[in-house]
Amino acid sequence: MMRTPWGQMTVEDSHAHLFSRSFFEGLARQRKTEDVDSMVAELGWDPPPRSNAELASRWTEELDGHGVARSVLMASLPGDEAAASDVVRAFPDRFYGFFMLDPTSGDPIPRARRAFRDLGLQGLCLFPAMQRFSVRDEALWPLYEVAAEAGRVVFVHTGVLTVGVRARLGLPSRFDMSYSNPLDLHRVALEHPETTFIVPHLGAGFFRETLMLASLAPNVYVDTSSSNSWRRFLTPTPTLEEVFGRALDVVGCGRLLFGTDSSFFPRGWRRGIFETQCETLRRLGITTEEAAEIFGGNLARIMRPAGRAKAGP
Ligand SMILES: [Zn+2]
C-alpha cells in the first residue's frame, strides 16, 4: 500500500521497462561490441544481473521499498519475450509481462500467440514508428484477434518516440513518426471491439488525437506515464493539471492508467512521477474511488478480464 492524498491505496504501475541482460546484449550487438558491462557502465547504470530471476528480485525489492503492489515490465527489444516471462514466472503476483513485437519480421502471429499462451505474457507492444509499419495494415489484424482471444492487451506507442538509451549509446534511431498518429487506431479499435488498446504518455504529443480516439473507441485506454514533456510542443504549453483535467473530462477516470516509465537502476522506480501525478490529481479534486481506479484499479481490471480462464492471483 502507498500513502496518497486519498489515504492508503493499492498502487500498480502500468508502464515500466525491463532492461534485461539480453536487452543490453541486443544493444551491444547493434553497437558491435560484446562487452555489455562496460557499455552499461558508460551510461552510469548498474550492470544487469546475470539472471532474469535476479533482476526480478531487484525489481521486487524496489517495488517493496516504495509500497507499489505491482508493475508492468515491458521487454523492450523485439525477441526479448523470454526475459519478461522469466520475471513474471519468478513473481507472478508482482508483475505483468509485456513484450515488444516487430510485426514486420519473422512470424509475428504465432510468436504473439506463443507469448500469451506459453510464456504467460499479458501485453503486446507495438512501436509503429520504430519498425515503420502502420497499425492499420490488415496484415496485423490477426494480432489484435490473438490478443482478444487470449484476453490480453495491445499497447501502441504513438506520438514522439525517443529511446534515450539508444541516443546515449550513439545508436541510430531511424524511426518514422508519420506512423505515429493515434487516429490510425480509430478503425482498428472499432473493428476489434474485443481488443483492449493502451496508448501511452497521453499520446506523446498527439494529445488532441488521443482524446478524439478515446472518446470514439471505448476499448482504448490511455496511460499517464513519464514527465509528459511533450507538452512543450503545444502553444501555449499546458500545465499537467490542464492536461489531466481535459483527459478526465474526455477519457474519464475509468480508462486512465497511472504509469511512471521507469526502466534502469540505480534510478529504479520513479517516485517523483507518482508524487507529481498525485498532487496534480488532488488539485483537480478527484474522489478516492476515482484515484483508486487510475492508480491501479483500471490496470488490474484489464489485466484480469472478467470471464477469462486465466484469472490472476
Ligand atoms: Zn516507456
Side-chain angles (χ1 to χ4, degrees), residues 15-17 74 127 155 157 201 225 261-262:
H15 190 140
H17 294 270
M74 188 190 305
F127 287 72
F155 166 110
H157 193 290
H201 316 304
S225 68
D261 208 9
S262 300

Side-chain angles (χ1 to χ4, degrees), residues 25 27 134 198 263-264 306:
E25 283 167 355
L27 293 182
S134 172
I198 299 176
S263 54
F264 63 87

